[in-house]
Amino acid sequence: MKIGIPKEVYPGECRVAATPDTAKRLQKLGFEVLIEAGAGKAANFSDAAYAQASCELVADPLTLWSESDVMIKVRPPMLHPELDKPEVFLLREGGTLISFVYPAQNHELLEDLADRKATVLAMDAVPRITRAQKMDALSSMANIAGYRAVIEAASHFDRFFPGQITAAGKVPPAKVLVIGAGVAGLAAIGAAKNLGAIVRAFDTRPVVKEQVESMGAEFLMLDFKEDGTGQGGYAKVMSEEFIQAEMALFAEQAKEVDIIITTALIPGVKAPLLITREMVESMKEGSVVVDMAAEQGGNCEVTKPQEVYRYNGVTIVGLTDLPSRMAQQASQLYGTNLCHLLDELGGNENFKIDFENEVVRGATVLRNGEVTWPPPKPQPAPQPAQSATPQPVAPPAPPKPEPIATTHPAAHAKHKDKSHHRSHKDLVWLMLAGVALIGIGIGAPPSFLSHLTVFVLAIFVGWQVIWNVTPSLHTPLMSVTNAISGIIIVGGILQLSGAPFSATAILGAIAILIGTINISGGFLVTQRMLKMFQK
């Protein structure tokens, strides 16, 4: 089979559906790769690089479209400006097209493609499931767009992102608010944080809170129990009360932050309005708003799609080609997504639109001219049927009998003799210890017994005191050390009550000094450890 890669004709589009590297991967899958001359020039991929990758360069777009079995593109088909003919009619009848299609918004395009008996797989319709992540072109492009949004904001912001203290004065760090913590939002958070800004983020889905905080940003919460998690990892439309609460939060944040990046999109509907005209007017002069939803109407009321302009001293960035502004990287990632999808389709030898494959079924919007979008919702796994006739219950198994010794009687008698000998030995040691204590009691002075009693009790009491100390501000080892030192100090104080310059008093004073140093050092080390974990 032949795969065709045309030059994108959308105004300002710099991406290409295959790079020299991904073209080699397509050839390994068994496909013959045809590419229009100059298709990769805007993404800094020369024709020579494609020729070196064994691709066939085709100068005439008509020839490319007519000879290719499968056409892979970035943008949906549109009017070809040079040929003055829609790309839909360049696709040969019964051919296959793989590109972004956006079937929810392009009903007429689907009808035209259906008339060509085409089979169409939409990269924007790939199911967002774990198994399909390597084919998820929406996430690939959103990742690039989020990063690029921060770069665009930095280029229009007239201050540093990180805070600085210089001889000429102190520069506070920029404050960035990211609305929406999907793939694009998380990429924007990461880029802004790496540039040194103070980053705040908001999302209607509480499940992303940990992801936001793990990247070092502050997650803004509303006192609402409503969850905005929708199907496919997207957010859903929230209640009127929730929207009013979040709008009040945005109005408050607009007065404080320097940069707002909005990423809120719900597939198939107009982008929700989040930043009103009044909010923009309340922002500090020199602030920046990057509206990543500009192509679908925008999250900001004053956004002009495909334009960058100043409104009331605030720069409004409404660019709709953020991934295209990093065309080389975007083309590589998108081309890799396409390679994985074509591999999922079976490659050249086993190429098949298999509706038993949930990834292929979800991405297919047309099959041989028949509209197959939207795909049916996945059915829950069938539950095992409950039988009306009660099943007989097996009687409980009888308890296992105790194992019967099968050793030889002589061996059993030998084992019994060993146990008997060991018990006699223990009894002998116990009797010897008793005799020793009696002998000590008879021969030792009367004060010895009282001291021995105190010593034994001190061992048990000290053990209980030391090991029951709760390590609230210390590690367990430090707590035990301080407890021992405390007992030593108490013992030293008691010894000071005797003669002032006796050996006992001097040793007690030394014990007090060393114990005090140990406890003080323990607290000092603990404080230094705690400061290591403080921001």
Side-chain angles (χ1 to χ4, degrees):
M1 295 179 69
K2 294 182 179 180
I3 288 184
I5 305 158
K7 182 179 180 180
E8 296 296 324
V9 296
Y10 186 88
E13 181 57 69
C14 300
R15 290 172 292 178
V16 63
T19 67
D21 179 57
T22 61
K24 293 178 182 178
R25 297 177 64 174
L26 291 175
Q27 292 166 6
K28 289 181 179 179
L29 292 174
F31 297 104
E32 183 179 346
V33 180
L34 283 63
I35 185 167
E36 184 178 349
K41 183 178 180 181
N44 296 318
F45 297 115
S46 65
D47 288 345
Y50 284 105
Q52 191 174 1
S54 302
C55 298
E56 180 182 345
L57 293 168
V58 181
D60 181 22
L62 281 173
T63 303
L64 177 73
W65 283 82
S66 61
E67 292 186 359
S68 300
D69 302 296
V70 179
M71 294 296 296
I72 59 175
K73 290 181 82 281
V74 179
R75 293 276 185 170
M78 60 177 296
L79 179 67
H80 198 292
E82 296 179 5
L83 302 176
D84 195 26
K85 188 176 182 180
E87 289 181 309
V88 170
F89 299 111
L90 298 179
L91 181 69
R92 73 189 211 183
E93 191 165 349
T96 300
L97 171 69
I98 305 176
S99 72
F100 283 109
V101 177
Y102 306 108
Q105 292 91 353
N106 295 323
H107 297 290
E108 293 183 4
L109 175 62
L110 280 185
E111 293 176 0
D112 292 338
L113 288 167
D115 292 339
R116 301 288 295 174
K117 306 297 181 184
T119 297
V120 180
L121 284 84
M123 293 302 292
D124 50 281
V126 171
R128 307 195 90 171
I129 58 177
T130 303
R131 193 171 71 83
Q133 285 182 351
K134 59 186 178 182
M135 299 166 257
D136 189 356
L138 280 177
S139 293
S140 298
M141 298 302 103
N143 183 30
I144 295 175
Y147 172 84
R148 185 69 190 194
V150 175
I151 302 302
E152 294 293 334
S155 68
H156 293 287
F157 187 56
D158 56 1
R159 290 210 328 261
F160 296 126
F161 262 48
Q164 293 190 7
I165 299 177
T166 68
K170 182 179 179 181
V171 180
K175 295 179 180 178
V176 179
L177 171 63
V178 179
I179 301 177
V183 176
L186 292 174
I189 290 170
K193 194 66 183 176
N194 288 338
L195 287 175
I198 297 174
V199 185
R200 302 168 184 172
F202 175 83
D203 198 287
T204 58
R205 299 163 295 176
V207 293
V208 302
K209 180 177 183 291
E210 291 185 1
Q211 300 177 38
V212 169
E213 292 178 343
S214 69
M215 301 184 73
E218 177 188 357
F219 187 76
L220 303 177
M221 292 284 292
L222 291 177
D223 189 16
F224 262 81
K225 294 183 179 180
E226 190 172 356
D227 190 346
T229 304
Q231 292 184 352
Y234 294 100
K236 67 179 182 181
V237 179
M238 307 300 290
S239 66
E240 189 64 32
E241 293 79 8
F242 188 96
I243 293 175
Q244 291 177 0
E246 72 173 1
M247 294 296 280
L249 174 65
F250 298 155
E252 179 184 349
Q253 290 293 319
K255 300 174 184 178
E256 298 182 18
V257 300
D258 303 299
I259 296 169
I260 297 178
I261 299 175
T262 65
T263 71
L265 279 174
I266 300 176
V269 299
K270 184 180 181 298
L273 178 63
L274 302 177
I275 306 298
T276 63
R277 187 183 302 270
E278 291 75 17
M279 294 180 195
V280 177
E281 292 173 352
S282 70
M283 296 181 71
K284 293 175 287 188
E285 191 165 351
S287 299
V288 180
V289 175
V290 182
D291 192 344
M292 294 181 62
E295 194 167 8
Q296 294 192 28
N299 298 137
C300 179
E301 187 176 1
V302 297
T303 296
K304 296 179 180 179
Q306 300 182 355
E307 289 189 28
V308 179
Y309 77 105
R310 288 181 69 85
Y311 176 84
N312 198 44
V314 179
T315 302
I316 309 297
V317 181
L319 298 174
T320 59
D321 61 344
L322 292 174
S324 181
R325 289 173 177 257
M326 299 181 67
Q328 190 175 65
Q329 182 70 75
S331 299
Q332 181 65 37
L333 294 180
Y334 181 67
T336 302
N337 293 141
L338 286 169
C339 288
H340 286 305
L341 179 59
L342 287 163
D343 187 22
E344 191 77 15
L345 291 171
N348 178 55
E349 294 184 2
N350 303 305
F351 189 87
K352 179 183 179 183
I353 307 299
D354 183 11
F355 273 18
E356 296 298 320
N357 186 322
E358 59 181 335
V359 177
V360 176
R361 177 64 187 92
T364 305
V365 296
L366 278 173
R367 183 169 67 168
N368 299 326
E370 179 187 357
V371 177
T372 59
W373 185 88
K377 294 182 179 180
Q379 298 295 327
Q383 298 294 330
Q386 297 292 334
S387 176
T389 306
Q391 298 295 326
V393 180
K400 288 185 177 181
E402 292 294 330
I404 301 174
T406 57
T407 54
H408 195 273
H412 181 70
K414 186 178 180 180
H415 176 72
K416 185 175 181 181
D417 289 342
K418 284 185 178 181
S419 300
H420 186 66
H421 176 71
R422 186 165 53 248
S423 62
H424 276 291
K425 188 176 179 180
D426 294 340
L427 181 59
V428 169
W429 278 110
L430 183 60
M431 292 176 63
L432 289 175
V435 170
L437 287 175
I438 293 172
I440 291 173
I442 294 173
S447 59
F448 177 79
L449 290 178
S450 61
H451 286 303
L452 180 62
T453 304
V454 171
F455 176 72
V456 174
L457 290 176
I459 291 175
F460 286 102
V461 172
W463 180 79
Q464 290 294 328
V465 169
I466 291 171
W467 291 106
N468 286 330
V469 172
T470 303
S472 57
L473 292 178
H474 305 285
T475 62
L477 178 59
M478 192 69 69
S479 299
V480 171
T481 304
N482 283 353
I484 295 173
S485 299
I487 293 175
I488 291 173
I489 290 175
V490 172
I493 292 173
L494 293 175
Q495 297 304 320
L496 291 178
S497 60
F501 297 105
S502 64
T504 304
I506 293 173
L507 290 175
I510 294 173
I512 293 172
L513 176 62
I514 295 175
T516 303
I517 293 173
N518 193 22
I519 292 177
S520 302
F523 278 103
L524 179 62
V525 170
T526 300
Q527 289 301 317
R528 299 182 87 177
M529 291 176 63
L530 291 175
K531 286 180 180 179
M532 292 174 61
F533 297 96
Q534 293 176 354
K535 292 184 179 180

